[in-house]
Amino acid sequence: MTRHPPAIDDESLIAALRLSAGQDPVPAHVSAAARAVFGLRLPGAATARPVVTPAPRGVRSADEARLLRFTAAELTVDLEVTSMDGLVDLAGQVSPCPEAGTRVEVRTLHLTESRELSATGQFAVTGLPPGWFSVVCHRPERSPVVTSWTRIRP
């Protein structure tokens, strides 16, 4: 005769999970980081999601730069990420070419660097700490577009 374990209903499972959570509380630094990131959200902003792009041939080796592309409905943000001496440099381009007065913010958990875009939609930020970053494109009289958070490793 085969014995089956007793069935557990959803309420019992949730109660067991709540009890077990009390045994292993969330570390304080994790809660603090979650609050910090929550404070960086931009209500009403469109989120540009990452898109897989093949590395262009003959431009640079994969060891030197990392190419990233993020798209929202009407905007693309291309980034070239390079690392040197433990710090990170970002060179980017917003397309289609945005109107005058458009600026970007490159955000990390600890600092934000703001740049006006060139006439061709290009910008650069150097000397960033490795870790999580996001780019926000602020366009005059339009909702901002923000890239999803991406982790940069040196």
Side-chain angles (χ1 to χ4, degrees):
M1 175 173 4
T2 305
R3 299 190 92 199
H4 296 283
I8 298 176
D9 60 73
D10 290 346
E11 290 178 22
S12 298
L13 178 61
I14 290 171
L17 290 171
R18 285 185 179 141
L19 283 172
S20 67
Q23 303 296 321
D24 189 16
V26 175
H29 72 280
V30 172
S31 295
R35 282 190 296 281
V37 169
F38 186 74
L40 292 173
R41 75 191 190 295
L42 294 172
T47 302
R49 304 279 181 207
V51 176
V52 176
T53 56
R57 292 185 197 187
V59 175
R60 293 184 182 223
S61 74
D63 294 338
E64 291 181 14
R66 181 174 163 201
L67 302 176
L68 303 172
R69 175 171 283 170
F70 298 87
T71 62
E74 75 288 348
L75 196 73
T76 299
V77 178
D78 288 313
L79 299 172
E80 180 179 347
V81 181
T82 55
S83 297
M84 187 183 312
D85 298 327
L87 296 175
V88 176
D89 297 337
L90 290 179
Q93 181 166 12
V94 176
S95 57
C97 192
E99 59 267 23
T102 300
R103 66 182 173 84
V104 294
E105 292 176 344
V106 177
R107 305 179 307 161
T108 72
L109 298 179
H110 307 289
L111 63 94
T112 298
E113 293 285 339
S114 185
R115 299 288 187 269
E116 293 290 326
L117 294 181
S118 72
T120 58
Q122 296 173 324
F123 65 95
V125 178
T126 59
L128 294 170
W132 292 96
F133 81 96
S134 175
V135 176
V136 182
C137 182
H138 294 278
R139 302 169 295 166
E141 304 194 26
R142 291 179 152 188
S143 297
V145 173
V146 59
T147 67
S148 55
W149 285 89
T150 302
R151 188 171 183 187
I152 301 173
R153 295 185 176 141

